[in-house]
Amino acid sequence: MLQSALMNVMVKAARRAGRSLKRDLGEIENLQVSMKGPANFVTMADKRSEEILYTDLTKARPGYGFIGEEGGLREGADKTHTWIVDPLDGTTNFLHGIPQFAISIGLLREGVIIAGLIYNPANEELYTAERGKGAFLNDTRLRVANRKQLNDCVIACGLPHIGRGNHELSRQEMTALQPKVAGLRRFGAASLDLAYVAAGRLDGYWERNLQQWDIAAGIVMIREAGGVVSDIQGRDVDALATGNVVCGNEAVHDQLVKILKPLK
Ligand code: IPD
Ligand code: CA
Ligand code: CA
């Protein structure tokens, strides 16, 4: 696969941040049994990853703006381009030593997501996509799954935990979907859920109350793999404003929207 200069920059930055996260994951195993636990250490790992990404991306593309989960917005002179970065998506998994976490980098140009990268350093899975150029897992071109009947489909979701989201609404969603699907999954890293839909591993995914850095890269990934992604009301997600997503191939996406949209 011939990689563009832009994607090269993104991959290099992600691999360096990934090495840092992987080293830190090793430490986590030791900290599980300590009195204080690994929480503070994870916060540091998260920040270290973001600083590597900020340094490398800004060095390669001076002037681009940068929005990171940890540091917020750092404006650049070029107002047309902004990186949208989650330096560690799946923090709870990471904290528990569960190797389902990722670095997520999206690039926004004048309000449109033009490139995305999602990288899990624990298993070396690197997902990349550029607008109009397809989506890839390492060197393999991605395509969303073709299943059309919900009862054949495995669908992932988010589950709000203590102090987050609307638990009652989440239970309503489960009640509506459980009897209709082959399986429901909750993996705990939104960026990878989106990447798995692009890769055809999952047939669909939905989640509410996400942030732009959870979904920016995944949105272009799904589209470039031939899938459809919108918010739960069925509206465009390029603005990254609502933080709700639902995706799949067109048939699965539409059925999920039909079921989820009326729930309040
Ligand atoms: C979280 C993960 C999780 C999702 C949460 C996100 P974080 O991101 O993506 O899967 O359910 O809503 O906040 O906090 O681990 O970066
Ligand atoms: Ca996240
Ligand atoms: Ca995060």
Side-chain angles (χ1 to χ4, degrees):
M1 182 186 80
L2 205 61
Q3 212 159 53
S4 72
L6 170 69
M7 194 48 74
N8 243 326
V9 163
M10 293 166 70
V11 168
K12 269 187 148 169
R15 288 213 187 271
R16 195 160 85 85
R19 279 196 293 279
S20 168
L21 283 181
K22 210 170 164 182
R23 262 195 310 274
D24 289 341
L25 183 70
E27 277 301 305
I28 301 278
E29 322 264 288
N30 307 328
L31 291 169
Q32 298 294 353
V33 290
S34 77
M35 280 297 282
K36 232 170 92 194
N40 287 341
F41 184 80
V42 170
T43 308
M44 291 314 295
D46 211 342
K47 291 199 163 121
R48 264 195 289 276
S49 173
E50 182 156 319
E51 280 322 295
I52 292 172
L53 295 167
Y54 176 73
T55 305
D56 288 11
L57 293 173
T58 311
K59 194 167 163 201
R61 291 291 183 276
Y64 284 17
F66 184 101
I67 297 174
E69 181 174 14
E70 300 307 310
L73 169 66
R74 301 187 227 191
E75 280 188 42
D78 175 350
K79 301 295 176 205
T80 58
H81 289 89
T82 309
W83 300 110
I84 301 182
V85 171
D86 193 337
L88 171 55
D89 184 41
T91 326
T92 308
N93 285 343
F94 188 84
L95 179 70
H96 287 256
I98 299 169
Q100 180 76 1
F101 59 88
I103 288 161
S104 178
I105 307 173
L107 179 61
L108 205 63
R109 179 192 288 157
E110 289 173 339
V112 179
I113 307 153
I114 59 157
L117 173 152
I118 297 162
Y119 175 48
N120 181 354
N123 63 7
E124 295 288 342
E125 284 194 346
L126 174 69
Y127 298 84
T128 55
E130 275 183 272
R131 199 158 182 250
K133 294 187 184 165
F136 297 84
L137 164 51
N138 298 326
D139 286 337
T140 308
R141 182 106 190 219
L142 297 181
R143 183 84 207 153
V144 291
N146 198 28
R147 291 179 202 89
K148 302 232 163 31
Q149 309 292 332
L150 271 193
N151 57 13
D152 293 326
C153 289
V154 173
I155 309 286
C157 60
L159 285 177
H161 50 76
I162 183 167
R164 296 272 292 269
N166 181 339
H167 292 206
E168 176 50 36
L169 178 55
S170 168
R171 282 190 286 274
Q172 284 179 37
E173 292 177 338
M174 291 300 143
T175 307
L177 273 156
Q178 265 170 342
K180 295 196 171 68
V181 299
L184 284 174
R185 300 286 185 272
R186 197 304 189 232
F187 289 110
S191 60
L192 287 173
D193 291 327
L194 291 158
Y196 282 19
V197 172
R201 292 176 177 173
L202 289 168
D203 300 288
Y205 160 68
W206 90 96
E207 184 163 356
R208 298 179 195 260
N209 297 313
L210 291 164
Q211 302 290 334
Q212 50 185 333
W213 42 78
D214 297 317
I215 55 177
I219 289 171
V220 63
M221 203 77 59
I222 300 267
R223 287 180 177 153
E224 287 301 317
V228 177
V229 52
S230 71
D231 78 359
I232 287 170
Q233 301 305 309
R235 294 171 305 209
D236 182 41
V237 274
D238 265 322
L240 296 164
T242 67
N244 299 329
V245 284
V246 48
C247 61
N249 65 33
E250 194 177 356
V252 170
H253 167 269
D254 293 357
Q255 289 172 79
L256 290 176
V257 169
K258 209 166 156 200
I259 294 166
L260 296 168
K261 190 177 166 175
L263 304 177
K264 298 238 157 40

